Amino acid sequence: MITTDLRGLAEQAGRDLEGAHPADVLRWAAGTFESDLVLASSMGDEVLVHLAAATVPGIDVIFLDTGYHFAETLGTRDYYADFTSISLRTVLPLHTVAEQDAVHGARLHDRDPNLCCALRKVEPLERGLAPYTAWISGMRREDAPTRTDITVVGWDARRGKVKLNPLAAWTQADVDSYVAEHHVVLNPLRQAGYASIGCAPCTRAVAPGEDPRAGRWSGTSKTECGLHT
């Protein structure tokens, strides 16, 4: 299917599937793209991984191992790889943390977090998505001001791919309800107050009532890692 057709398909599906249950969005995607569909997960979007495993058994999932993940996040990845029906592939940056330190100096994430994210998240994602026509993310509109206009199905112009955000319209209450109803295994950091989970050096727990994304790159103006911008 040529790019213009894919873009038109995505835009039409975004209109048609607005308001649909996330499972129905996933079923449409699986029926439309078959093996050309992949889910990208940081294992901070456990509900989406659980839902995808239940709805599209065997679905490909890519996990970007930045080298800076919490042990709890890696454990969550291993649980979903071992005990659900997903087909998980871990994608590594081109260089280890030690190799990056040798070139850019230690703790690049403190001095130039945008470059660190570009090297350890964005570039690996480009490689991970390359074989696929459509990809799924766990973004929700209420996550951050930068995400309020995301569509359930849309066009990722930067990559020339269809992008799906099945949970776009879900609130935290919707997420919590799904977790309770389906006994979803969560990243243990949730119990320690981590509302949005990224790399360990750039993530902290949030206080009650604090914005869920306040724990990401705290004390800086950075709000996105670059995967979705």
Side-chain angles (χ1 to χ4, degrees):
M1 188 177 291
I2 63 176
T3 297
T4 52
D5 290 341
L6 279 173
R7 181 171 184 170
L9 174 70
E11 292 173 349
Q12 184 61 52
R15 293 187 288 270
D16 293 344
L17 292 169
E18 179 63 33
H21 191 279
D24 292 328
V25 177
L26 290 169
R27 290 188 189 98
W28 173 85
T32 303
F33 301 108
E34 300 180 341
S35 62
D36 284 331
L37 176 69
V38 67
L39 188 157
S41 174
S42 64
M43 293 300 157
D45 47 9
E46 310 93 307
V47 162
L48 178 61
V49 179
H50 182 281
L51 182 61
T55 306
V56 189
I59 187 170
D60 287 354
V61 176
I62 54 175
F63 173 81
L64 307 179
D65 189 347
T66 64
Y68 284 120
H69 280 301
F70 292 96
E72 291 89 344
T73 299
L74 298 178
T76 304
R77 174 201 60 183
D78 293 344
Y79 168 81
Y80 279 96
D82 293 342
F83 296 104
T84 73
S85 66
I86 67 170
S87 177
L88 186 133
R89 179 164 62 98
T90 294
V91 181
L92 300 171
L94 294 174
H95 302 289
T96 66
V97 171
E99 290 169 343
Q100 178 175 292
D101 288 351
V103 175
H104 297 283
R107 302 188 67 83
L108 179 63
H109 45 76
D110 289 346
R111 294 177 287 104
D112 192 342
N114 289 330
L115 178 57
C116 191
C117 284
L119 295 172
R120 311 206 71 77
K121 290 185 177 182
V122 179
E123 190 283 329
L125 180 68
E126 306 302 323
R127 282 187 284 116
L129 294 182
Y132 301 94
T133 300
W135 70 291
I136 305 165
S137 92
M139 290 202 302
R140 296 186 294 118
R141 291 169 186 155
E142 74 167 26
D143 282 341
T146 54
R147 300 181 177 185
T148 56
D149 62 347
I150 61 173
T151 54
V152 174
V153 183
W155 180 244
D156 183 349
R158 173 178 170 183
R159 300 178 177 93
K161 298 180 186 296
V162 177
K163 183 178 181 183
L164 300 104
N165 306 298
L167 304 182
W170 268 21
T171 64
Q172 188 59 47
D174 293 324
V175 172
D176 293 343
S177 177
Y178 184 90
V179 169
E181 180 179 354
H182 297 279
H183 308 288
V184 176
V185 172
L186 298 177
N187 189 318
L189 292 170
R190 300 280 181 207
Q191 296 181 330
Y194 287 80
S196 179
I197 302 167
C199 293
C202 301
T203 308
R204 65 166 175 81
V206 297
E210 196 173 17
D211 186 280
R213 296 276 295 180
R216 303 291 296 277
W217 306 287
S218 183
T220 76
S221 59
K222 185 174 173 63
T223 59
E224 293 282 358
C225 62
L227 297 180
H228 305 290
T229 56

